[in-house]
Structures are given as structure tokens and as C-alpha cells.
């Protein structure tokens, strides 16, 4: 975690939770001068802001505030709702991190004359000694590792980023540290999955913004109509529960067609895919959105098709139109268009892209 610099000032994203609090404690122990930054990405976050103020007071650090609801709404919320309306499954954190949150940390660091920025993510950062390129790396805790979420961070952010929790073995170790230092939030619960939708009901949230899911038809693999669905945002690839129809046997969402507004159902066999395509590619040290770097053609990697997926062996191939193809050794279950596919060389995150299609074993492409 320690970086060489005579300027030991750090701007750290402080939410008021135990993770960001522990990150401050670790940085202080390492001799850094920490200033917290609370950013509001939605309106009416005074309760969360107050928690951050209490944490900053207990830690004895200053706290800055940035109002980011307008750019967050314009860039992240519009993307999130638009993707669901097209039958895709977005991951807003992957986009928000480089474009909103870490950019705000970097801008605050410039304004405050700080050399470094930091967060409470469970991950690490390392520089390749021969190329000088910076990479996110997996955190020590396999259960909490968040390196997947950081795969699109650019070099200007990674080069000044400190991630002290990457060295922690578990959440329990983090809580123990906070308790030992008398932090008042040591037992605070984990944050919700989608920070701007506290109750998790994203369809109602979208409807409140004017995005109205349109009913359509459930189909089987042969195109036979099985019934009516409630609108594409209610479903994602691999879903079994909440279909609203009884079939007498388990049925899974195997395909979503945004143009035809149809949901394809099957017995789950069609969810197994060995070939997965990605677009909007991002690889550290290379221009983004240009596909697979030539240096990585045929490279054997570990790929994750979603945040909670187990990394699996795959080979990377370049593809037309700036896309890439990951050929997995073992079929992966339910790769969903809109989710990120992230690639590891050992513990190092080399890059990834947005899933845009996949292939059934011996079958056809689903985009």
C-alpha cells in the first residue's frame, strides 16, 4: 500500500460505513494525512451524510462534500434504465466508478493538493516494473474481493490509488480493527447492492422516472407462445422465480429480445455457454473500445462473467467490430448481455468488456 512520495495527503471516499472507516485507520497507521470525501449521487442523502460526518469526527479528519446527483442521473441512471428497457442486465458500479466516484476523488485531490486517493474497496493496485502500467489486483479476501468492479479505472486514477483493505483477510478482520480503535460504526451493516435504489425494487424506481416496461410474450426455443410477460426489466438471463406463470416444471429465462420484446424460456440447458462475446473493451495500457490487444491474442486467462462468478479458465480471441471472444474451457451458466466479463492473469486484472452475446454448446449465437 505504501507509495513513495513526500506528499502524504490522501483524499478518501468516506461513506460512514465500517469499510471506509477501517481504510482511514490503516492509512493513518501508515503515516498518511487523510481527508474524507462524501459524495451524494442522489438527492435526500442527509442521513448518510450525517453518518459520514460522525465517522470523520471520530477519526479526527476533515470531511469534504460533493454533490454529484446531476451527473450521476444523466450518465448512470439513464444508462441503467435504458439497458433494462433493451432487455440487458446493467452493472452501474462498473460505469460509475471511473466516470463519477473516482473522478470526483481525483478532482478533490487536485483541489486539495493531495498526491493520493483511496477507498474502502477490497482490492489492490500494482505497477508492472517493466512497462510501468498500473493494474487492479485481487484482494487478499477471496470472499470480499472487489477487483472486478475496478477493471475500467484508467491509468491516471490507478497510479495514485491506495486500497488499504486489499491486505485484509476478511470482513471480520476489518470489524475487529474498527472495534479495537473504538470506531462507533464497527458493527454497521453492509451497504445495499444498488446504492441509489435502497429497497432493491428497481422496476418501481424506473417507472417513477417514466420508464414503463411494455408487456410482451414468453416464447419457447422454437418460438411458440407460452404466455404474456410483464415487461423486459422484470427478467434477466438465468432467472427462474418470479415468472408469473406455472409450467409444471422449472423454467428459466434463456433469452431476452429487446427489439421483439420477447422472453425465451427453457429448461435451463440453453444457459450453458462456452463462447462469450464482449464489446466496449477496456485493457490496461491500451486504448479503450478498440477490441482485444494483439498482445493478448490466444492468451489463457481466468474470466468472470459476473461479479459473483467463480473465475474460470478461458482463451481470448479477437473478433470483428472491436469485439472479443472468450472461449471457456468449461461452459459458463447464464452470461447476461450488459454484464461485464473481466479477465485475470494470475491476481492481476488485465481488462474486460461488456457481454454482448454468447453461444450454446454446438448451438447458435444469442446477442
Amino acid at each position: 500500500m505504501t507509495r513513495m512520495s513526500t506528499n502524504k495527503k490522501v483524499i478518501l471516499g468516506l461513506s460512514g460505513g465500517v469499510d471506509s472507516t477501517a481504510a482511514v485507520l490503516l492509512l493513518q497507521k501508515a503515516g498518511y494525512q487523510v481527508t474524507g470525501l462524501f459524495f451524494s449521487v442522489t438527492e435526500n442523502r442527509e442521513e448518510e451524510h450525517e453518518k459520514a460526518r460522525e465517522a470523520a469526527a471520530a477519526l479526527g479528519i476533515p470531511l469534504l462534500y460533493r454533490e454529484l446527483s446531476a451527473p450521476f442521473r444523466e450518465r448512470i441512471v439513464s444508462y441503467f434504465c435504458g439497458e433494462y428497457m433493451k432487455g440487458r442486465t446493467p452493472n452501474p458500479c462498473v460505469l460509475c466508478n471511473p466516470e463519477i466516484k473516482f473522478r470526483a476523488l481525483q478532482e478533490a485531490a487536485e483541489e486539495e493538493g493531495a498526491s493520493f486517493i483511496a477507498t474502502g474497496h477490497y482490492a489492490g493496485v500494482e505497477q508492472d516494473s517493466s512497462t510501468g502500467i498500473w493494474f487492479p489486483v485481487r484482494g487478499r479476501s477471496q470472499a470480499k474481493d472487489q477487483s472486478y468492479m475496478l477493471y475500467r479505472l484508467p491509468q491516471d486514477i490507478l497510479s495514485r490509488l491506495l486500497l488499504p483493505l486489499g491486505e485484509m483477510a476478511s470482513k471480520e478482520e476489518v470489524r475487529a480493527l474498527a472495534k479495537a480503535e473504538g470506531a462507533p460504526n464497527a458493527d454497521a451493516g453492509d451497504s445495499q447492492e444498488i446504492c441509489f435504489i435502497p429497497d432493491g425494487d428497481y422496476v418501481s424506481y424506473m417507472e417513477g422516472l417514466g420508464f414503463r416496461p411494455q408487456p410482451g410474450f414468453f416464447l419457447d426455443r422454437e418460438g411458440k407462445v407460452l404466455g404474456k410477460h410483464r415487461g423486459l426489466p422484470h427478467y434477466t438471463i438465468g432467472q427462474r422465480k418470479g415468472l408469473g406463470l406455472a409450467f409444471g416444471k422449472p423454467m428459466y429465462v434463456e433469452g431476452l429480445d429487446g427489439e421483439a420484446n420477447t422472453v425465451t424460456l427453457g429448461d435451463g440447458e440453453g444457459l450453458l455457454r462456452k463462447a462469450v462475446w464482449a464489446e466496449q473493451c477496456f485493457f490496461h495500457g491500451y486504448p479503450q473500445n478498440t477490441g482485444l490487444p494483439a498482445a493478448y491474442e490466444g492468451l489463457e486467462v481466468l474470466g468472470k462473467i459476473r461479479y459473483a462468478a467463480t473465475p474460470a479458465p478461458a482463451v481470448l480471441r479477437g473478433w470483428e467490430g472491436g469485439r472479443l471472444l472468450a472461449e471457456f474451457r468449461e461452459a459458463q451458466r447464464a452470461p447476461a448481455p450488459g454484464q461485464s466479463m473481466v479477465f485475470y492473469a494470475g491476481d492481476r486484472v488485465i481488462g474486460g468488456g461488456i457481454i454482448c452475446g454468447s453461444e450454446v454448446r454446438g448451438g447458435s449465437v444469442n446477442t
Side-chain angles (χ1 to χ4, degrees):
M1 180 181 68
T2 302
R3 302 274 183 88
M4 297 299 294
S5 175
T6 55
N7 180 341
K8 305 290 281 187
K9 292 182 179 180
V10 183
I11 304 297
L12 179 140
L14 189 68
S15 67
V18 65
D19 290 335
S20 57
T21 294
V24 172
L25 293 169
L26 289 168
L27 288 169
Q28 289 176 327
K29 288 177 180 293
Y32 290 95
Q33 180 184 341
V34 183
T35 294
L37 172 64
F38 178 84
F39 29 69
S40 179
V41 297
T42 60
E43 295 84 357
N44 304 316
R45 295 196 70 191
E46 183 54 38
E47 183 178 345
E48 290 89 342
H49 191 191
E50 179 58 31
K51 290 179 182 178
R53 284 194 289 259
E54 291 174 358
L59 293 162
I61 65 172
L63 181 68
L64 307 175
Y65 175 83
R66 294 292 184 274
E67 173 58 56
L68 302 176
S69 58
F72 184 84
R73 182 173 57 252
E74 293 166 5
R75 186 66 183 98
I76 308 305
V77 173
S78 61
Y79 147 81
F80 177 84
C81 296
E83 287 286 273
Y84 266 119
M85 294 297 288
K86 292 183 226 178
R88 292 161 63 91
T89 306
N91 188 325
C93 293
V94 162
L95 189 64
C96 178
N97 280 332
E99 296 197 15
I100 305 293
K101 292 185 178 179
F102 281 85
R103 194 60 62 193
L105 285 168
Q106 186 182 50
E107 291 173 359
E110 293 294 332
E111 294 169 6
E112 298 295 320
S115 291
F116 303 105
I117 60 176
T119 68
H121 283 87
Y122 290 78
V125 182
E126 69 178 22
Q127 185 179 33
D128 186 282
S129 59
S130 60
T131 65
I133 297 172
W134 293 89
F135 297 88
V137 295
R138 279 195 259 210
R140 183 181 172 196
S141 170
Q142 293 185 9
K144 296 293 293 182
D145 173 54
Q146 294 173 299
S147 58
Y148 171 100
M149 295 295 189
L150 308 181
Y151 85 95
R152 297 187 80 88
L153 292 184
Q155 291 294 294
D156 61 339
I157 288 177
L158 289 175
S159 63
R160 67 196 305 176
L161 178 59
L162 302 174
L163 298 173
L165 297 196
E167 301 171 8
M168 304 299 279
S170 66
K171 181 80 172 203
E172 291 69 29
E173 185 178 358
V174 168
R175 292 193 187 281
L177 169 66
K179 285 182 180 180
E181 297 296 330
N185 57 6
D187 293 316
D190 290 341
S191 58
Q192 63 270 17
E193 185 175 351
I194 303 177
C195 69
F196 57 99
I197 308 178
D199 63 2
D201 187 354
Y202 61 88
V203 176
S204 294
Y205 174 83
M206 291 171 56
E207 290 176 336
L209 295 176
F211 292 87
R212 305 291 181 183
Q214 297 301 308
F217 291 109
F218 286 119
L219 307 177
D220 65 13
R221 291 183 201 147
E222 286 69 46
K224 178 183 175 182
V225 174
L226 301 175
K228 288 188 176 181
H229 68 68
R230 296 179 294 157
L232 297 181
H234 288 277
Y235 312 98
T236 189
I237 302 296
Q239 179 178 334
R240 179 174 69 87
K241 297 181 179 180
L243 300 181
L245 293 176
F247 297 97
K249 61 179 181 179
M251 294 288 277
Y252 299 83
V253 175
E254 292 188 350
L256 296 165
D257 188 327
E259 292 187 5
N261 192 29
T262 58
V263 178
T264 299
L265 303 179
D267 59 9
E269 286 294 320
L271 294 173
L272 297 174
R273 310 292 174 104
K274 270 196 169 184
V276 184
W277 282 267
E279 60 189 0
Q280 301 178 46
C281 300
F282 186 101
F283 285 88
H284 298 287
Y286 296 91
Q288 71 178 86
N289 299 332
T290 56
L292 182 70
Y296 290 156
E297 179 68 38
L299 182 68
E300 294 186 3
V301 297
L302 292 175
K304 290 182 67 169
I305 61 168
R306 66 179 64 85
Y307 172 60
T310 300
V315 175
L316 299 182
R317 307 288 185 194
W319 207 252
E320 72 272 4
R323 296 189 297 165
L324 65 83
L325 168 65
E327 297 176 328
F328 284 89
R329 187 179 303 166
E330 300 291 337
Q332 301 298 291
R333 188 180 187 278
Q339 289 284 290
S340 285
M341 180 164 54
V342 177
F343 306 115
Y344 294 78
D347 286 335
R348 179 180 288 179
V349 178
I350 62 171
I354 309 298
I355 294 173
C356 60
S358 58
E359 187 176 35
V360 182
R361 292 180 294 180
S364 60
V365 174
N366 170 38
T367 57

